[in-house]
Amino acid sequence: MNRDGEEVDPGARHGIGLVWATESGLEAAAYLGRRWGEQVRAIEAGSVADALRTAYRECEAVIAFLATGATVRVLAPLLGHKTTDPPVVCVDESREYAIALLGGHYGANDLARRVADALSCPAGRCRPVISNARDSTGVNPLPPEPSLAPEPVVPTLVVGVGSSRGASADEILSTVDAALAVGGLSPDEVATLASVDLKADEPGLLAAADRRGWPIAFHPAAELAPVDVPNPSAVVQAATGTASVAEAAARYAGPGRPWAELLVPKVKSAMVTAAVARQRPRGRLAVVGLGPGARDLLAPRAAGELRAASVLVGLDQYVDQIRDLLPVDTQVHATGLGSEEARARSAVDLARAGAQVVLIGSGDAGVYAMASPTLDYADTEDVDVVCVPGITAATAASNVLGAPLGHDHCSISLSDLHTPWAAIERRIRAAAEGDFVVSFYNPRSRKRDWQLPAALEILAARRPPQTPIGWVRNASRPDQTHGISTLSQFDPAVVDMYTVVTVGCSQSRIVAGRFVTPRGYTWAE
Ligand code: SAH
């Protein structure tokens, strides 16, 4: 029931209702209509307010190309309960913002993101505005794959404790609480207590940890001794073999791990010392392929990672491609071409320091791109790494050309900047010998113009002159172009670094203008 006393049957609603008041709103509504087809319904009635009321009563969700104020005033009398009301998203006149106005957790947040994604394509950048606290931090937005989504970052406190023999649990806990209070910290934030292994059988310490349900770690004095602390003590050094117990145990994070940040230096009572440090959260590095360019060819999982990025590392042109998906406070490290190694290292180093880092690459990040140098460098256990696939240029292009990859195929990069030409040539000969369809990446640039003709000559010696060749430049980007020719007629001058070139095998055909490699054939010698 809504506030007008009407019974509302949510099941009777259908479609996403679109309501507008201006030319710009109409244009945006028409655009969403073209993109989303039958999912959306244009709602028109006597007045804009009537249309909005109708949409609210009859639709599963509402997108209002109206001011938030006007929308709130019209809908206020109709508001029922968030679980049964339709979610409402407002889009401003300049289409810069898709605002989740009502029902954030009941569809409006997701819808605002979808609207922003959709309106970002033709008309510049549109951002979702999400006001629910948890979602708007970007720490844990509603990702499509919860099991693979980044874990929220939990800051974890470690309280280091030193005590004389016989110190009571009460004194230990009151000193720990005093140290926490100095830092304005809550006992709820404590992940663990820590001390030196000499104290592993100290009854008061064990009882204190037990009483609060905190685990307690005991570290060897030799591990604690090198930890940098502000208040070392010669007396403690003589008694235990380390000049600090409380501060060093709080900072110590395990062999080879960076020391935690000391938040509260030691606080003393008669028999107890306590100090507090914050362990760095475990870093996470997502290596994410953005696909060939078009937003709707970006995998939802990749978009989920981008929406959770606290740090983003990538080539500036790719960063621009997805900037609107990032939380507003993401730190962006955009670099120019040619610094792959440095990019990989900085992404890994930032993750090691505890950040949630996303490193982006075009297409699939594992194909002639950033994943390999990054994983080579991330050779320790102290960072979690996930890789998210993207549509690679060869398949983006093959779908434009027809079905050239219908049987065995391979990819060869013609860039001899890091691979000697002799090795590349050997692989082309092997592909020719094996009658593979070949997709050439990095086929030609201003400085590297002889490699593609040389490669085609090798293939031409083993396959008929009418063998199809397809090329696609900027696959899926607004200026995509492509062509299909044959080995004997192809002009390599049409190709540049934004192009992928696919050469058929001896069985490939041009069928009704499309490049097709038959799925089943017998090998012809
Ligand atoms: N990781 C990328 C490949 C990087 S190597 C991927 O998986 O697609 C760069 C080469 O990829 C370019 O020289 C070009 O040959 C090809 N390429 C990348 N994106 C392309 C696109 N949208 N259209 C055509 N070729 C593309």
Side-chain angles (χ1 to χ4, degrees), residues 431-432 434-438 459-465 467 487 503-506:
D435 200 23
F436 286 92
V437 174
V438 186
L459 295 179
R462 289 291 190 139
R463 39 194 92 173
T467 301
L487 261 180
V503 182
C505 67
S506 61

Side-chain angles (χ1 to χ4, degrees), residues 292 362-365 367-369 391-393 440-443 472-475 477 497-500:
S362 80
D364 185 286
V367 177
Y368 305 123
I391 295 173
T392 188
F440 288 114
Y441 284 69
N442 301 304
V472 182
R473 182 172 190 274
N474 280 329
R477 297 178 188 143
M497 278 303 281
Y498 302 100
T499 312
V500 74

Side-chain angles (χ1 to χ4, degrees), residues 136-436:
S136 59
T137 59
V139 167
N140 187 16
L142 308 168
E145 289 279 347
S147 58
L148 288 162
E151 288 291 322
V153 178
V154 183
T156 52
L157 299 183
V158 179
V159 183
V161 184
S163 66
S164 308
R165 283 272 165 223
S168 70
D170 283 342
E171 183 177 347
I172 290 169
L173 287 177
S174 65
T175 314
V176 167
D177 288 344
L180 290 166
V182 168
L185 303 162
S186 152
D188 292 342
E189 294 176 72
V190 174
T192 185
L193 299 183
S195 190
V196 64
D197 60 1
L198 289 174
K199 303 286 174 192
D201 58 356
E202 184 66 36
L205 205 45
L206 296 172
D210 191 49
R211 216 184 279 173
R212 293 277 173 93
W214 289 327
I216 181 161
F218 296 100
H219 305 300
E223 297 282 328
L224 299 183
V227 178
D228 194 22
V229 294
N231 300 297
S233 149
V235 178
V236 174
Q237 168 78 49
T240 64
T242 169
S244 161
V245 172
E247 291 175 347
R251 294 200 71 194
Y252 181 71
R257 300 252 313 143
W259 297 324
E261 180 196 3
L262 191 68
L263 301 181
V264 181
K266 75 178 165 192
V267 167
K268 288 194 223 176
S269 63
M271 298 178 76
V272 180
T273 55
V276 187
R278 192 184 296 285
Q279 294 285 0
R280 293 176 202 223
R282 191 172 163 80
R284 183 175 184 280
L285 174 63
V287 185
V288 171
L290 299 184
R295 174 56 59 85
D296 57 357
L297 294 183
L298 173 80
R301 188 177 296 180
E305 290 290 348
L306 294 167
R307 290 191 178 111
S310 59
V311 177
L312 184 90
V313 180
L315 257 185
D316 35 21
Q317 71 205 69
Y318 302 136
V319 173
D320 289 343
Q321 198 176 311
I322 46 80
R323 201 181 278 271
D324 61 293
L325 292 178
L326 303 173
V328 279
D329 54 355
T330 301
Q331 261 181 53
V332 176
H333 298 254
T335 56
L337 267 173
S339 45
E340 283 206 354
E341 186 80 7
R343 230 175 8 256
R345 281 173 186 272
S346 80
V348 174
D349 290 342
L350 287 159
R352 263 191 200 130
Q356 307 292 298
V357 181
V358 176
L359 174 66
I360 53 173
S362 80
D364 185 286
V367 177
Y368 305 123
M370 293 304 296
S372 318
T374 306
L375 299 200
D376 264 344
Y377 185 61
D379 58 352
T380 56
E381 298 291 319
D382 59 0
V383 58
D384 294 326
V385 177
V386 292
C387 298
V388 180
I391 295 173
T392 188
T395 50
S398 75
N399 285 276
V400 173
L401 298 170
L405 309 184
H407 211 298
D408 296 332
H409 56 273
C410 65
S411 296
I412 297 179
S413 167
L414 291 185
S415 169
D416 55 357
L417 296 179
H418 302 292
T419 307
W421 177 251
I424 298 173
E425 195 180 295
R426 200 167 64 239
R427 288 170 196 170
I428 301 166
R429 286 188 191 289
E433 174 66 25
D435 200 23
F436 286 92

